[in-house]
Amino acid sequence: MASYEVNVDAVEKVRDMIDARQYVLDSEWGRVQPDADAENAYLERHSWPAYAAWHLGLTVGASDRTKGRYAFVVGDFRRVHRSGLLACRYRATQWRHKAVELAAHDLLQHLDRTAGIG
């Protein structure tokens, strides 16, 4: 099983996006989660660091500038999705990636406070 580090740049970007209210509260993650075509289209127009900033996890040992390096996507390349944060937290919890789980949890709490969910 792969090991992951927290992508601190992504955590900062997601927090900034939440502060700027660039989020979606209600979505079906299975329908809006970027697929391979969406990832490729994004990479044609944006840099690898911009792509990386949508992923809370960095795969240990994977090369930078490869899709395999980046894990736990939390948005649709336009906005952060609450359902994406929930999915990220769930998957990280399920596979015992504690640091990513806690990062997703903290961001989810920040989004909920910002959106007035309580």
Side-chain angles (χ1 to χ4, degrees):
M1 178 185 308
S3 296
Y4 301 96
E5 302 170 336
V6 172
N7 182 352
V8 294
D9 292 337
V11 170
E12 183 178 325
K13 177 190 171 70
V14 170
R15 183 173 290 280
D16 289 347
M17 290 185 72
I18 291 168
D19 290 343
R21 301 198 180 277
Q22 295 177 331
Y23 53 77
V24 176
L25 294 178
D26 297 310
S27 62
E28 292 183 41
W29 187 238
R31 291 181 185 230
V32 299
Q33 179 180 8
D35 60 14
D37 289 338
E39 292 174 340
N40 292 337
Y42 187 83
L43 281 167
E44 286 177 13
R45 298 183 318 272
H46 299 87
S47 67
W48 279 99
Y51 175 80
W54 288 99
H55 299 80
L56 295 185
L58 299 173
T59 308
V60 174
S63 299
D64 286 341
R65 299 180 182 267
T66 63
K67 286 186 188 179
R69 173 71 168 148
Y70 310 104
F72 299 99
V73 65
V74 296
D76 61 7
F77 299 131
R78 289 187 11 213
R79 295 169 296 178
V80 175
H81 284 253
R82 187 173 188 274
S83 61
L85 287 169
L86 287 165
C88 179
R89 186 181 70 178
Y90 174 80
R91 201 173 87 211
T93 301
Q94 180 182 20
W95 295 105
R96 299 183 185 105
H97 302 301
K98 196 65 170 178
V100 175
E101 172 194 343
L102 292 174
H105 175 80
D106 290 346
L107 288 167
L108 180 62
Q109 298 307 307
H110 181 62
L111 187 151
D112 286 354
R113 280 190 304 275
T114 301
I117 298 172

